[in-house]
Amino acid sequence: GQQLNQSPQSMFIQEGEDVSMNCTSSSIFNTWLWYKQDPGEGPVLLIALYKAGELTSNGRLTAQFGITRKDSFLNISASIPSDVGIYFCAGLDNAGNMLTFGGGTRLMVKP
Amino acid sequence: GAGVSQSPSNKVTEKGKDVELRCDPISGHTALYWYRQSLGQGLEFLIYFQGNSAPDKSGLPSDRFSAERTGGSVSTLTIQRTQQEDSAVYLCASSSGTGGETQYFGPGTRLLVL
């Protein structure tokens, strides 16, 4: 079946540093999504990408949909303590119904 | 309601007992999904309901797991004869069901099987 490989699995950074994480897939997705999960909560959508090559920003977050439609990255600039959490990439299948999730990147920010 | 709600938020049960987990999707959303998240892991798809169509059960790990959705709204996930490996967070999500749209997640039910 489809699988998403997300890296790194965890990051421990200093407040103010930039962060980059990425996902790769063995197959093509038509939509890539990035979610953040805070402790004890469900995932919340951060950014959605719909077109190959698309670069989208949301405040300090920037994400790109790879031109091959098999990869995506998420950058966080000038990290702050509230950025702590688990970030998941997810690919939406061609029918637009099923999400496949990456394993997550656990981000820890040192004040 | 404003978002997806789930109950209970936490459930502790003994091995061999049955449990029921409830999900109330966002009003008007026709698509509903159940996922399982083991400690420190990603989300594992379990089952998908879309309107009145037959559910996609391809992610259910065993016949001890079942789910239903009554009246096209509330859904219940049932785990029979629970095992310790069933311990996880069970997340529900809903979407408008028109295809290609965002799934909105509930806070999850944390299940611990002793």
Side-chain angles (χ1 to χ4, degrees), chain B residues 13-53:
Chain B
T13 190
E14 294 179 348
K15 177 182 173 181
K17 295 284 181 67
D18 298 350
V19 295
E20 285 189 352
L21 313 178
R22 177 188 169 104
C23 172
D24 283 88
I26 293 173
S27 178
H29 278 189
T30 59
L32 187 148
Y33 308 78
W34 283 98
Y35 295 88
R36 178 169 69 177
Q37 185 178 29
S38 300
L39 185 64
Q41 301 297 315
L43 280 71
E44 173 190 5
F45 165 75
L46 296 178
I47 188 169
Y48 159 57
F49 295 90
Q50 173 58 280
N52 296 320
S53 302

Short mmCIF file of all heavy atoms in Angstrom, two decimals, chain B residues 13-53:
data_model
loop_
_atom_site.label_atom_id
_atom_site.label_comp_id
_atom_site.label_asym_id
_atom_site.label_seq_id
_atom_site.Cartn_x
_atom_site.Cartn_y
_atom_site.Cartn_z
N THR B 13 -10.02 0.01 30.67
CA THR B 13 -10.82 -1.20 30.73
C THR B 13 -9.92 -2.40 30.98
O THR B 13 -8.69 -2.33 30.86
CB THR B 13 -11.60 -1.38 29.42
OG1 THR B 13 -12.54 -2.44 29.57
CG2 THR B 13 -10.67 -1.74 28.26
N GLU B 14 -10.56 -3.49 31.35
CA GLU B 14 -9.82 -4.72 31.58
C GLU B 14 -9.78 -5.57 30.31
O GLU B 14 -10.76 -5.57 29.53
CB GLU B 14 -10.46 -5.52 32.70
CG GLU B 14 -10.37 -4.84 34.06
CD GLU B 14 -11.04 -5.67 35.15
OE1 GLU B 14 -11.77 -6.63 34.79
OE2 GLU B 14 -10.85 -5.34 36.32
N LYS B 15 -8.71 -6.26 30.13
CA LYS B 15 -8.57 -7.16 28.99
C LYS B 15 -9.78 -8.08 28.91
O LYS B 15 -10.22 -8.64 29.91
CB LYS B 15 -7.29 -7.97 29.14
CG LYS B 15 -7.05 -9.01 28.06
CD LYS B 15 -5.76 -9.78 28.34
CE LYS B 15 -5.59 -10.92 27.36
NZ LYS B 15 -4.36 -11.70 27.64
N GLY B 16 -10.33 -8.22 27.70
CA GLY B 16 -11.47 -9.10 27.50
C GLY B 16 -12.82 -8.39 27.51
O GLY B 16 -13.81 -8.96 27.04
N LYS B 17 -12.85 -7.17 28.02
CA LYS B 17 -14.10 -6.42 28.04
C LYS B 17 -14.34 -5.75 26.69
O LYS B 17 -13.41 -5.52 25.92
CB LYS B 17 -14.05 -5.35 29.15
CG LYS B 17 -13.97 -5.91 30.57
CD LYS B 17 -15.29 -6.43 31.02
CE LYS B 17 -15.24 -6.97 32.44
NZ LYS B 17 -15.00 -5.91 33.42
N ASP B 18 -15.60 -5.41 26.43
CA ASP B 18 -15.96 -4.67 25.22
C ASP B 18 -15.98 -3.17 25.55
O ASP B 18 -16.34 -2.78 26.67
CB ASP B 18 -17.34 -5.09 24.71
CG ASP B 18 -17.42 -6.55 24.31
OD1 ASP B 18 -16.36 -7.22 24.25
OD2 ASP B 18 -18.54 -7.04 24.06
N VAL B 19 -15.64 -2.35 24.56
CA VAL B 19 -15.72 -0.90 24.74
C VAL B 19 -16.42 -0.27 23.53
O VAL B 19 -16.33 -0.80 22.41
CB VAL B 19 -14.34 -0.23 24.93
CG1 VAL B 19 -13.68 -0.70 26.22
CG2 VAL B 19 -13.44 -0.48 23.74
N GLU B 20 -17.09 0.85 23.79
CA GLU B 20 -17.72 1.62 22.73
C GLU B 20 -17.20 3.04 22.77
O GLU B 20 -17.21 3.68 23.84
CB GLU B 20 -19.24 1.62 22.89
CG GLU B 20 -19.90 0.33 22.50
CD GLU B 20 -21.42 0.45 22.46
OE1 GLU B 20 -21.95 1.50 22.87
OE2 GLU B 20 -22.07 -0.50 22.00
N LEU B 21 -16.78 3.54 21.65
CA LEU B 21 -16.28 4.91 21.54
C LEU B 21 -17.20 5.67 20.60
O LEU B 21 -17.60 5.16 19.55
CB LEU B 21 -14.84 4.92 20.99
CG LEU B 21 -13.86 3.92 21.62
CD1 LEU B 21 -12.50 4.03 20.95
CD2 LEU B 21 -13.76 4.15 23.12
N ARG B 22 -17.50 6.92 20.98
CA ARG B 22 -18.49 7.68 20.24
C ARG B 22 -17.86 8.88 19.54
O ARG B 22 -16.93 9.50 20.08
CB ARG B 22 -19.58 8.16 21.18
CG ARG B 22 -20.65 9.04 20.55
CD ARG B 22 -21.56 9.62 21.61
NE ARG B 22 -22.43 10.67 21.07
CZ ARG B 22 -23.71 10.51 20.81
NH1 ARG B 22 -24.30 9.34 21.03
NH2 ARG B 22 -24.44 11.51 20.32
N CYS B 23 -18.39 9.20 18.36
CA CYS B 23 -17.93 10.37 17.61
C CYS B 23 -19.14 11.15 17.11
O CYS B 23 -20.03 10.58 16.47
CB CYS B 23 -17.07 9.94 16.42
SG CYS B 23 -16.64 11.30 15.30
N ASP B 24 -19.14 12.45 17.39
CA ASP B 24 -20.14 13.36 16.83
C ASP B 24 -19.46 14.25 15.81
O ASP B 24 -18.66 15.11 16.19
CB ASP B 24 -20.75 14.24 17.94
CG ASP B 24 -21.75 13.50 18.78
OD1 ASP B 24 -21.34 12.87 19.77
OD2 ASP B 24 -22.93 13.55 18.43
N PRO B 25 -19.74 14.07 14.53
CA PRO B 25 -19.03 14.86 13.51
C PRO B 25 -19.58 16.28 13.45
O PRO B 25 -20.59 16.61 14.09
CB PRO B 25 -19.36 14.10 12.23
CG PRO B 25 -20.71 13.50 12.49
CD PRO B 25 -20.72 13.14 13.95
N ILE B 26 -18.92 17.09 12.67
CA ILE B 26 -19.40 18.45 12.42
C ILE B 26 -20.73 18.37 11.67
O ILE B 26 -20.87 17.57 10.74
CB ILE B 26 -18.37 19.26 11.61
CG1 ILE B 26 -17.12 19.49 12.46
CG2 ILE B 26 -18.94 20.58 11.12
CD1 ILE B 26 -15.97 20.13 11.72
N SER B 27 -21.68 19.17 12.11
CA SER B 27 -23.02 19.14 11.51
C SER B 27 -22.94 19.37 10.01
O SER B 27 -22.28 20.32 9.54
CB SER B 27 -23.89 20.22 12.16
OG SER B 27 -25.17 20.25 11.57
N GLY B 28 -23.59 18.49 9.26
CA GLY B 28 -23.61 18.63 7.81
C GLY B 28 -22.52 17.87 7.09
O GLY B 28 -22.57 17.72 5.86
N HIS B 29 -21.53 17.40 7.83
CA HIS B 29 -20.46 16.62 7.19
C HIS B 29 -20.97 15.21 6.90
O HIS B 29 -21.47 14.51 7.79
CB HIS B 29 -19.23 16.56 8.09
CG HIS B 29 -18.37 17.77 7.99
ND1 HIS B 29 -17.13 17.84 8.57
CD2 HIS B 29 -18.57 18.96 7.36
CE1 HIS B 29 -16.58 19.02 8.30
NE2 HIS B 29 -17.45 19.72 7.58
N THR B 30 -20.79 14.79 5.65
CA THR B 30 -21.29 13.46 5.26
C THR B 30 -20.23 12.37 5.38
O THR B 30 -20.56 11.20 5.41
CB THR B 30 -21.80 13.50 3.81
OG1 THR B 30 -20.72 13.88 2.94
CG2 THR B 30 -22.96 14.47 3.66
N ALA B 31 -18.97 12.76 5.43
CA ALA B 31 -17.89 11.77 5.52
C ALA B 31 -17.36 11.71 6.95
O ALA B 31 -17.16 12.75 7.60
CB ALA B 31 -16.75 12.12 4.55
N LEU B 32 -17.12 10.50 7.43
CA LEU B 32 -16.62 10.30 8.80
C LEU B 32 -15.56 9.21 8.77
O LEU B 32 -15.72 8.20 8.10
CB LEU B 32 -17.77 9.92 9.74
CG LEU B 32 -17.46 9.83 11.23
CD1 LEU B 32 -18.69 10.22 12.05
CD2 LEU B 32 -16.99 8.44 11.61
N TYR B 33 -14.48 9.45 9.50
CA TYR B 33 -13.32 8.56 9.49
C TYR B 33 -12.94 8.21 10.93
O TYR B 33 -13.02 9.05 11.82
CB TYR B 33 -12.11 9.24 8.84
CG TYR B 33 -12.34 9.85 7.48
CD1 TYR B 33 -12.99 11.06 7.34
CD2 TYR B 33 -11.90 9.20 6.33
CE1 TYR B 33 -13.20 11.63 6.09
CE2 TYR B 33 -12.10 9.76 5.07
CZ TYR B 33 -12.76 10.97 4.96
OH TYR B 33 -12.96 11.52 3.72
N TRP B 34 -12.48 6.99 11.11
CA TRP B 34 -11.86 6.58 12.38
C TRP B 34 -10.40 6.22 12.11
O TRP B 34 -10.08 5.53 11.13
CB TRP B 34 -12.56 5.37 12.98
CG TRP B 34 -13.86 5.66 13.66
CD1 TRP B 34 -15.11 5.51 13.15
CD2 TRP B 34 -14.03 6.11 15.01
NE1 TRP B 34 -16.05 5.86 14.09
CE2 TRP B 34 -15.42 6.23 15.23
CE3 TRP B 34 -13.16 6.44 16.05
CZ2 TRP B 34 -15.95 6.65 16.46
CZ3 TRP B 34 -13.68 6.86 17.25
CH2 TRP B 34 -15.07 6.97 17.46
N TYR B 35 -9.52 6.71 13.01
CA TYR B 35 -8.10 6.40 12.96
C TYR B 35 -7.65 5.91 14.34
O TYR B 35 -8.26 6.23 15.36
CB TYR B 35 -7.27 7.65 12.62
CG TYR B 35 -7.49 8.24 11.25
CD1 TYR B 35 -8.50 9.18 11.04
CD2 TYR B 35 -6.70 7.86 10.17
CE1 TYR B 35 -8.70 9.73 9.77
CE2 TYR B 35 -6.88 8.43 8.91
CZ TYR B 35 -7.89 9.36 8.73
OH TYR B 35 -8.08 9.91 7.49
N ARG B 36 -6.54 5.18 14.33
CA ARG B 36 -5.93 4.77 15.59
C ARG B 36 -4.51 5.31 15.62
O ARG B 36 -3.78 5.24 14.61
CB ARG B 36 -5.92 3.23 15.70
CG ARG B 36 -5.26 2.72 16.96
CD ARG B 36 -5.50 1.24 17.16
NE ARG B 36 -4.81 0.41 16.17
CZ ARG B 36 -4.83 -0.92 16.19
NH1 ARG B 36 -5.50 -1.54 17.14
NH2 ARG B 36 -4.19 -1.60 15.27
N GLN B 37 -4.11 5.84 16.76
CA GLN B 37 -2.76 6.38 16.93
C GLN B 37 -2.13 5.74 18.16
O GLN B 37 -2.52 6.03 19.29
CB GLN B 37 -2.80 7.90 17.08
CG GLN B 37 -1.43 8.55 17.13
CD GLN B 37 -1.52 10.06 17.21
OE1 GLN B 37 -2.49 10.62 17.74
NE2 GLN B 37 -0.51 10.76 16.69
N SER B 38 -1.16 4.87 17.91
CA SER B 38 -0.43 4.28 19.02
C SER B 38 0.60 5.28 19.52
O SER B 38 0.97 6.23 18.83
CB SER B 38 0.25 2.99 18.57
OG SER B 38 -0.72 2.06 18.13
N LEU B 39 1.10 5.06 20.74
CA LEU B 39 1.98 6.01 21.39
C LEU B 39 3.17 6.35 20.51
O LEU B 39 3.91 5.48 20.08
CB LEU B 39 2.47 5.43 22.73
CG LEU B 39 3.32 6.36 23.59
CD1 LEU B 39 2.49 7.56 24.02
CD2 LEU B 39 3.84 5.62 24.81
N GLY B 40 3.32 7.66 20.21
CA GLY B 40 4.46 8.12 19.44
C GLY B 40 4.44 7.75 17.98
O GLY B 40 5.44 7.92 17.29
N GLN B 41 3.29 7.26 17.50
CA GLN B 41 3.21 6.82 16.11
C GLN B 41 2.30 7.73 15.29
O GLN B 41 1.63 8.63 15.82
CB GLN B 41 2.67 5.39 16.05
CG GLN B 41 3.51 4.38 16.80
CD GLN B 41 4.90 4.25 16.23
OE1 GLN B 41 5.08 4.17 15.02
NE2 GLN B 41 5.90 4.27 17.10
N GLY B 42 2.28 7.47 13.98
CA GLY B 42 1.37 8.19 13.11
C GLY B 42 -0.04 7.64 13.21
O GLY B 42 -0.34 6.80 14.05
N LEU B 43 -0.89 8.12 12.33
CA LEU B 43 -2.29 7.74 12.35
C LEU B 43 -2.54 6.57 11.41
O LEU B 43 -2.15 6.58 10.25
CB LEU B 43 -3.17 8.91 11.94
CG LEU B 43 -3.45 9.95 13.02
CD1 LEU B 43 -2.22 10.76 13.36
CD2 LEU B 43 -4.60 10.85 12.60
N GLU B 44 -3.23 5.56 11.93
CA GLU B 44 -3.56 4.36 11.17
C GLU B 44 -5.05 4.40 10.83
O GLU B 44 -5.89 4.45 11.74
CB GLU B 44 -3.23 3.13 12.01
CG GLU B 44 -3.66 1.81 11.41
CD GLU B 44 -3.52 0.67 12.42
OE1 GLU B 44 -3.20 0.94 13.59
OE2 GLU B 44 -3.78 -0.48 12.03
N PHE B 45 -5.37 4.38 9.55
CA PHE B 45 -6.76 4.41 9.10
C PHE B 45 -7.48 3.14 9.54
O PHE B 45 -6.95 2.03 9.40
CB PHE B 45 -6.81 4.57 7.59
CG PHE B 45 -8.15 4.25 6.98
CD1 PHE B 45 -9.20 5.14 7.10
CD2 PHE B 45 -8.37 3.05 6.31
CE1 PHE B 45 -10.44 4.86 6.55
CE2 PHE B 45 -9.60 2.77 5.76
CZ PHE B 45 -10.63 3.66 5.87
N LEU B 46 -8.71 3.29 10.02
CA LEU B 46 -9.52 2.14 10.42
C LEU B 46 -10.72 1.95 9.49
O LEU B 46 -10.89 0.89 8.90
CB LEU B 46 -9.99 2.31 11.86
CG LEU B 46 -8.92 2.35 12.94
CD1 LEU B 46 -9.56 2.58 14.32
CD2 LEU B 46 -8.09 1.07 12.94
N ILE B 47 -11.58 2.98 9.42
CA ILE B 47 -12.83 2.82 8.68
C ILE B 47 -13.32 4.18 8.20
O ILE B 47 -13.02 5.20 8.82
CB ILE B 47 -13.90 2.11 9.55
CG1 ILE B 47 -15.15 1.75 8.74
CG2 ILE B 47 -14.26 2.98 10.75
CD1 ILE B 47 -16.11 0.82 9.51
N TYR B 48 -14.08 4.19 7.10
CA TYR B 48 -14.55 5.42 6.47
C TYR B 48 -16.01 5.26 6.08
O TYR B 48 -16.38 4.26 5.46
CB TYR B 48 -13.67 5.70 5.24
CG TYR B 48 -14.24 6.60 4.18
CD1 TYR B 48 -14.65 7.90 4.47
CD2 TYR B 48 -14.32 6.18 2.86
CE1 TYR B 48 -15.14 8.73 3.48
CE2 TYR B 48 -14.80 7.01 1.85
CZ TYR B 48 -15.21 8.28 2.17
OH TYR B 48 -15.69 9.11 1.19
N PHE B 49 -16.83 6.23 6.49
CA PHE B 49 -18.24 6.29 6.11
C PHE B 49 -18.45 7.49 5.19
O PHE B 49 -17.97 8.58 5.45
CB PHE B 49 -19.14 6.48 7.36
CG PHE B 49 -19.11 5.36 8.33
CD1 PHE B 49 -18.18 5.34 9.35
CD2 PHE B 49 -20.02 4.32 8.24
CE1 PHE B 49 -18.15 4.31 10.27
CE2 PHE B 49 -20.01 3.28 9.16
CZ PHE B 49 -19.07 3.28 10.18
N GLN B 50 -19.21 7.28 4.13
CA GLN B 50 -19.57 8.37 3.23
C GLN B 50 -21.06 8.27 2.93
O GLN B 50 -21.50 7.37 2.22
CB GLN B 50 -18.76 8.32 1.94
CG GLN B 50 -19.19 9.31 0.86
CD GLN B 50 -19.13 10.75 1.33
OE1 GLN B 50 -20.02 11.25 2.01
NE2 GLN B 50 -18.07 11.43 0.96
N GLY B 51 -21.82 9.20 3.50
CA GLY B 51 -23.26 9.24 3.26
C GLY B 51 -23.90 7.90 3.59
O GLY B 51 -23.66 7.32 4.64
N ASN B 52 -24.72 7.43 2.67
CA ASN B 52 -25.43 6.17 2.86
C ASN B 52 -24.72 4.99 2.20
O ASN B 52 -25.27 3.87 2.19
CB ASN B 52 -26.84 6.28 2.29
CG ASN B 52 -27.68 7.31 3.02
OD1 ASN B 52 -27.60 7.41 4.25
ND2 ASN B 52 -28.46 8.08 2.30
N SER B 53 -23.53 5.23 1.69
CA SER B 53 -22.79 4.15 1.03
C SER B 53 -22.26 3.15 2.04
O SER B 53 -22.11 3.48 3.23
CB SER B 53 -21.62 4.73 0.24
OG SER B 53 -22.06 5.65 -0.73
#
